[in-house]
Amino acid sequence: ALAPVEACGLQLDLTRQALPQPVLDALAAFAHARGVTDFLDRLYAGEVVNPTENRAALHMAYRAATGFGAAGEAAREVRARCRSIAAEIRSGAFNGPSGKPITGVLHIGIGGSLVGPQLVLEALEPTGGPAIRTRFCGNIDPADMAAATADLDPDATVIIAASKTFITAETLANLAAARAWASEAPVFAATAAPQAALS
């Protein structure tokens, strides 16, 4: 049996995997031959590794406490703003358009922009917390929006639209539907394209 492997504060337990050491060695050699280490070095250095979008992929800067230069500092500023807004909503200091405290969040997105936040909510739900209902809408079928908003108060809900590019048809259609449902609700955009979100 293989012993667990430890590196960078993480432990990888392969004891229940049917991968003999020669196979693991072959996989490591294959990764090395394909330049995985060089790619990771370029990724962490902030070089363009996504040629279709001609930009760096610095997702990890949003999770890091330090480093990643200007991108990391900008990411930490965004996280601080998000924490501040969330604290205001939880405390009741941030109100809906009618002055009611926020009791609902309607999160709109598709793919990772929807599934990621859903996963986090499901993982943290058992820890308790404020009585703010969070609903998700990613399907362009109007029934999905109707189900998501059924127990939300349009005067006490914030809308979060998550889209990297803010050109995804489903997300834009659902955002329009949400704004028709709650025309005065505050809308927050989680995006890499803030100018597109403003239009």
Side-chain angles (χ1 to χ4, degrees), residues 3-4 42 51 56 74 77 92 112 139 141 160 171:
R42 291 187 359 259
E77 287 175 17
N139 190 327
D141 183 337
I160 300 173
T171 299

Side-chain angles (χ1 to χ4, degrees), residues 108-130:
I108 297 168
I110 194 166
S113 295
L114 182 78
V115 177
Q118 277 182 312
L119 176 66
V120 170
L121 182 68
E122 286 178 22
L124 297 177
E125 228 170 9
T127 64

Side-chain angles (χ1 to χ4, degrees), residues 15-64:
T15 58
R16 290 176 174 80
Q17 302 300 316
L19 295 174
Q21 191 63 49
V23 172
L24 290 173
D25 292 342
L27 287 170
F30 178 72
H32 181 72
R34 296 293 297 172
V36 170
T37 302
D38 292 337
F39 177 85
L40 290 175
D41 289 343
R42 291 187 359 259
L43 173 74
Y44 286 112
E47 294 180 23
V48 173
V49 293
N50 182 350
T52 58
E53 295 182 1
N54 195 31
R55 63 177 174 177
L58 286 171
H59 306 86
M60 61 286 206
Y62 280 90
R63 297 170 184 91

Side-chain angles (χ1 to χ4, degrees), residues 10-199:
L10 300 175
Q11 184 182 68
L12 179 62
D13 184 354
L14 300 172
T15 58
R16 290 176 174 80
Q17 302 300 316
L19 295 174
Q21 191 63 49
V23 172
L24 290 173
D25 292 342
L27 287 170
F30 178 72
H32 181 72
R34 296 293 297 172
V36 170
T37 302
D38 292 337
F39 177 85
L40 290 175
D41 289 343
R42 291 187 359 259
L43 173 74
Y44 286 112
E47 294 180 23
V48 173
V49 293
N50 182 350
T52 58
E53 295 182 1
N54 195 31
R55 63 177 174 177
L58 286 171
H59 306 86
M60 61 286 206
Y62 280 90
R63 297 170 184 91
T66 61
F68 298 100
E73 189 56 40
R76 286 183 284 283
E77 287 175 17
V78 168
R79 282 198 323 247
R81 282 182 57 213
C82 289
R83 280 193 301 271
S84 175
I85 292 167
E88 284 186 45
I89 291 171
R90 284 189 196 105
S91 73
F94 188 99
N95 294 324
S98 65
K100 293 181 181 179
I102 298 300
T103 58
V105 173
L106 175 59
H107 182 99
I108 297 168
I110 194 166
S113 295
L114 182 78
V115 177
Q118 277 182 312
L119 176 66
V120 170
L121 182 68
E122 286 178 22
L124 297 177
E125 228 170 9
T127 64
I132 296 177
R133 290 181 295 280
T134 303
R135 303 295 179 255
F136 296 89
C137 183
N139 190 327
I140 200 165
D141 183 337
D144 196 36
M145 180 62 70
T149 58
D151 65 346
L152 298 179
D153 177 351
D155 291 325
T157 296
V158 295
I159 299 168
I160 300 173
S163 173
K164 182 172 68 172
T165 60
F166 244 81
I167 59 172
T168 308
E170 294 89 347
T171 299
L172 294 177
N174 282 334
L175 178 56
R179 295 191 75 173
W181 168 74
S183 60
E184 300 298 318
V187 178
F188 295 98
T191 184
Q195 287 307 117
L198 289 171
S199 56

